[in-house]
Amino acid sequence: MFRALTRLPTPPRRCSSLLHPLLRPLATLPSPSLPTPRALASRSNDEYFAAVHLISNIVRNDHYLERTLNRLRLPAPSPDLVYRVLRACASAPTPSLRFFSWARSRPCYSPTTLEFETLLQSLARARLWSSMWRTADQMRSLGLPFSPSLFSSIILSYAHHGLADLAVDVFNRMRHFHCPQTTAVYNALLTALCEVRNFHGAYALIRRMARKQVAPDRDTFSILVRSWCSAGKLREAQDFLEEMSQRGFNPPVRGRDLLVDGLINAGYLESAKEMVLKMTKEGFLPDVSTFNSLVEALTKSEEIDFCIDLLRDASKLGLCPDISTYKVLIPAVSKAGRIEEAFRLLYSSMEDGHKPFPSLYAPIIKALCRAGRFGDAVSFFSDMKVRGHPPNRPVYTMLVKMCVRGGRFVEAANYLVEMTEMELMPRSQSFDMVVDGLKHCGKHDLARRMEQLDVSLRGVKNRFWTDWLSTLMINYTVASTETDHQCIYFWSSYENTVLLQQVGPRKVGGRTEVGDVETNREVQELGHFAVEEFNRRSGGLHDLLFFSRVVQAQRQVVSGIKYYLLVLVLVKQQQPDAPPQENIIINVERFFQAVVVLKPWLHDSKQLISFKPSQDK
């Protein structure tokens, strides 16, 4: 898609002065220009998704989106591009419909079922029924098949708005679209009937399923039982399950579990608790999923003690909790301050064969920090890094925040450095909190080094690029007259959107080329340092090297910045064809590959990793 950018007209020079005050690039950045086709072909998919994001913003925000899209002069959009834009603009169904109509008007574009269904679902959620059915007729005229999941979502949209009659009409119209009526479609219609308390119609639909030989699933029974329970008719729900069993419709789970689920969804927690307690006293165990649903509902109502006792009693009867049980209980118990109980649950999950992941041990670390037990939190965190899954970015962010709240700013700085070593990009807010705390406690030198680390990780700040691009888009959208200045204004923002992928916030660990190497003072100083350090380490065992210049450089964000330098050096040697008595010394040029790591926050900020002759030069 980006290859079409090479065909864009070059903006006239007479407008460059108008753009200069706002689009003035940084001195360290290359001048914005349209990328060549070869450069575009070598880039990753990031540019493609940047284009999807840009087009989605146009569809959502631009009142004249067709005119703007035509000015982009894009080639025929692919089905994948249209699908991604429609999915990103699902909250704006009317502009999505306009974009889809524009895409269909483009030559060489053939819509598929996926794009139509995505658009139809967006229109159904927004209650744009007439537009939805017109689009469905267009889809049918093209001979595209309709999936049962599409009709299920349409029927559910009618059900959520209390339009059961229209949902029944959609169900009956499915045969005109040659779409089979599956169990999911029947469940959607059952939901619509139960929403309006039409249980007689629900029973009729169940009988229809028997005639059509459509096998019901758990959702089929759950929908009806939940409706009975929400209406406060527990006896009717039990009678319904017994009647269905007599008719041969045995539910895939036990009836009591369905009743407990129905009571939980209806909000009758006390009744659900009484039923589960009665089951455990009689020696029966609930289903694990039912037990998890009950525990989750009880933890939301802060009945932690009851959940712990219930789990203990159920475990004695042979209930084997799964990982979802621990995912619900451990955060709730930790939040309630029951740290020892949280430890017991975590180690129980490890004994069951589950390897702890961050969402399990992070709440315990947070509870320890809140209790002021930072030593225990650090020790437990170190243990989990060995025995559990590696910590992710949210865990480190939480640790930094808790250390800052506890006044442990040096520990917070250490965790930020540890994040960079694990190739996790810290948030700017984390750096701001740590730097402010270090300055407040008088550690200005360390605060300055953390600021340098922040700058080295990001290069150019995220908020600069975001505000800059947003200003361009807003100013272009607000303008309503068609002038050359506005067109150039938009092209400039689009060019720099592509440029943002090169010079904007980078992913930690990727190499990037350093532009204007010979005029980059920092890179040249690093090359001179590499040559001097090599001479010092050699101790006279090699010929003395004299630094000339750095020819090529790349940098990589690790724990600091790693520079890969191609250094041109001079070696003093005797001229080969000169007489020995004259002893003519000449300078011979040689190329060396140097790797230097720069850590501005340390006293010894430069470190030479390797220095060897280049094989390419």
Side-chain angles (χ1 to χ4, degrees):
M1 189 194 72
F2 278 84
R3 295 179 181 176
L5 297 178
T6 58
R7 303 195 298 268
L8 298 179
T10 304
R13 295 183 178 179
R14 60 184 175 86
C15 298
S16 60
S17 61
L18 298 175
L19 296 174
H20 178 74
L22 184 60
L23 300 180
R24 180 176 61 84
L26 298 177
T28 57
L29 301 182
S31 57
S33 59
L34 288 176
T36 61
R38 179 174 298 179
L40 291 173
S42 63
R43 288 178 184 168
S44 63
N45 292 332
D46 292 342
E47 286 82 0
Y48 175 76
F49 291 108
V52 172
H53 180 69
L54 179 63
I55 296 174
S56 302
N57 285 336
I58 294 173
V59 173
R60 284 192 297 261
N61 303 321
D62 200 332
H63 185 69
Y64 304 98
L65 62 94
E66 294 86 358
R67 183 189 66 181
T68 305
L69 293 173
N70 289 330
R71 286 184 175 181
L72 281 175
R73 297 187 181 181
L74 297 172
S78 62
D80 181 74
L81 174 69
V82 176
Y83 164 70
R84 293 183 183 277
V85 173
L86 291 176
R87 188 176 62 176
C89 302
S91 59
T94 302
S96 298
L97 180 60
R98 292 173 56 190
F99 167 75
F100 186 66
S101 301
W102 173 86
R104 293 187 61 190
S105 66
R106 311 301 293 175
C108 301
Y109 170 68
S110 299
T112 63
T113 303
L114 188 60
E115 297 98 83
F116 269 107
E117 290 188 352
T118 304
L119 180 59
L120 288 173
Q121 292 174 1
S122 301
L123 294 172
R125 284 192 295 268
R127 302 182 64 178
L128 300 176
W129 316 119
S130 58
S131 300
M132 181 191 70
W133 287 115
R134 283 197 301 268
T135 306
D137 291 336
Q138 296 174 7
M139 182 178 176
R140 182 172 56 178
S141 64
L142 294 176
L144 297 175
F146 290 79
S147 64
S149 60
L150 173 62
F151 279 98
S152 299
S153 60
I154 293 176
I155 292 173
L156 286 175
S157 65
Y158 280 114
H160 294 157
H161 294 95
L163 303 174
D165 295 337
L166 296 178
V168 174
D169 183 62
V170 173
F171 181 82
N172 294 329
R173 292 174 62 179
M174 290 182 63
R175 63 179 182 273
H176 300 295
F177 293 91
H178 306 288
C179 182
Q181 296 173 342
T182 60
T183 305
V185 177
Y186 276 97
N187 292 342
L189 185 57
L190 274 176
T191 303
L193 295 173
C194 293
E195 286 286 338
V196 296
R197 300 291 190 268
N198 188 357
F199 296 106
H200 179 74
Y203 286 151
L205 189 62
I206 292 293
R207 291 192 294 269
R208 178 188 173 92
M209 293 179 68
R211 292 196 307 270
K212 299 293 183 180
Q213 296 181 353
V214 179
D217 57 4
R218 173 171 179 166
D219 292 336
T220 307
F221 293 93
S222 298
I223 292 169
L224 289 169
V225 172
R226 289 174 184 176
S227 301
W228 280 116
C229 293
S230 61
K233 299 179 180 181
L234 182 60
R235 175 58 59 186
E236 286 79 355
Q238 294 175 345
D239 295 340
F240 164 74
L241 291 175
E242 294 178 359
E243 180 183 355
M244 292 298 103
S245 299
Q246 294 174 1
R247 291 176 176 269
F249 289 95
N250 293 320
V253 293
R254 291 167 298 183
R256 288 188 176 184
D257 295 330
L258 290 175
L259 291 175
V260 172
D261 285 336
L263 292 172
I264 293 172
N265 286 275
Y268 297 103
L269 294 181
E270 295 299 329
S271 300
K273 288 166 55 179
E274 293 177 359
M275 181 169 290
V276 172
L277 288 175
K278 184 178 179 181
M279 291 172 61
T280 55
K281 290 179 180 179
E282 294 176 357
F284 296 101
L285 288 175
D287 184 61
V288 176
S289 59
T290 303
F291 182 83
N292 294 340
S293 301
L294 177 61
V295 169
E296 184 177 3
L298 293 174
T299 52
K300 290 181 180 179
S301 61
E302 300 182 355
E303 298 188 30
I304 308 299
D305 296 334
F306 181 83
C307 293
I308 295 174
D309 296 337
L310 182 62
L311 176 62
R312 186 180 295 108
D313 296 339
S315 300
K316 292 179 180 179
L317 293 175
L319 178 69
C320 297
D322 57 2
I323 192 63
S324 300
T325 309
Y326 296 109
K327 285 175 63 177
V328 173
L329 276 176
I330 292 178
V333 172
S334 301
K335 186 178 180 181
R338 304 280 297 274
I339 299 177
E340 303 304 328
E341 187 65 31
F343 273 114
R344 189 188 65 81
L345 291 172
L346 179 65
Y347 291 124
S348 297
S349 67
M350 296 172 64
E351 292 175 358
D352 293 342
H354 303 296
K355 189 176 181 180
F357 45 87
S359 61
L360 283 181
Y361 59 78
I364 301 179
I365 298 175
K366 188 174 183 179
L368 290 171
C369 293
R370 283 183 172 179
R373 299 165 57 180
F374 286 95
D376 295 337
V378 173
S379 177
F380 175 67
F381 180 61
S382 302
D383 184 36
M384 285 297 103
K385 286 192 291 186
V386 177
R387 303 176 61 181
H389 290 281
N392 52 16
R393 179 182 171 184
V395 175
Y396 274 107
T397 303
M398 180 270 297
L399 264 176
V400 171
K401 184 182 297 184
M402 298 308 295
C403 289
V404 169
R405 289 179 179 179
R408 297 174 176 265
F409 305 110
V410 178
E411 288 86 344
N414 290 332
Y415 284 125
L416 289 178
V417 176
E418 188 175 330
M419 288 182 68
T420 61
E421 293 175 351
M422 296 185 64
E423 298 186 357
L424 299 174
M425 177 68 76
R427 300 173 59 190
S428 297
Q429 294 86 344
S430 301
F431 275 104
D432 294 339
M433 289 189 301
V434 174
V435 170
D436 292 341
L438 291 173
K439 290 180 179 179
H440 182 73
C441 65
K443 299 183 181 297
H444 297 281
D445 187 36
L446 183 57
R448 178 180 58 82
R449 293 171 187 169
M450 296 306 299
E451 288 178 339
Q452 292 174 352
L453 175 61
D454 186 18
V455 173
S456 66
L457 288 175
R458 285 169 174 78
V460 182
K461 290 292 186 180
N462 286 344
R463 52 181 174 270
F464 169 77
W465 287 105
T466 304
D467 296 341
W468 178 59
L469 185 60
S470 300
T471 304
L472 293 178
M473 291 298 299
I474 291 173
N475 287 333
Y476 178 80
T477 305
V478 170
S480 58
T481 59
E482 298 184 14
T483 62
D484 294 337
H485 303 301
Q486 294 164 357
C487 185
I488 299 169
Y489 197 23
F490 184 76
W491 290 132
S492 300
S493 66
Y494 184 73
E495 293 162 13
N496 287 280
T497 303
V498 181
L499 183 63
L500 177 61
Q501 303 298 326
Q502 301 174 349
V503 302
R506 301 180 301 276
K507 183 178 180 180
V508 179
R511 291 192 188 185
T512 56
E513 294 287 342
V514 179
D516 300 332
V517 176
E518 297 187 359
T519 59
N520 193 321
R521 181 178 177 181
E522 180 184 9
V523 173
Q524 297 298 326
E525 289 179 354
L526 289 175
H528 188 273
F529 163 77
V531 174
E532 294 295 332
E533 183 68 14
F534 175 77
N535 290 333
R536 186 186 66 82
R537 293 181 182 181
S538 61
L541 298 178
H542 301 280
D543 294 333
L544 191 64
L545 304 181
F546 296 91
F547 173 74
S548 175
R549 67 182 183 275
V550 178
V551 179
Q552 186 179 358
Q554 293 179 335
R555 58 183 170 187
Q556 179 184 17
V557 178
V558 288
S559 180
I561 305 179
K562 182 182 287 187
Y563 285 88
Y564 299 85
L565 308 176
L566 182 61
V567 185
L568 177 63
V569 301
L570 302 178
V571 183
K572 294 185 179 298
Q573 294 182 355
Q574 185 177 3
Q575 187 174 356
D577 54 352
Q581 62 273 12
E582 295 185 4
N583 194 20
I584 300 177
I585 304 299
I586 60 174
N587 294 326
V588 180
E589 293 184 347
R590 292 183 181 178
F591 288 91
F592 282 79
Q593 293 178 346
V595 180
V596 182
V597 175
L598 178 63
K599 297 183 178 181
W601 59 93
L602 299 179
H603 291 288
D604 188 11
S605 60
K606 301 176 185 177
Q607 182 181 2
L608 179 63
I609 303 300
S610 64
F611 194 87
K612 58 185 179 180
S614 176
Q615 302 296 331
D616 299 333
K617 298 290 185 178

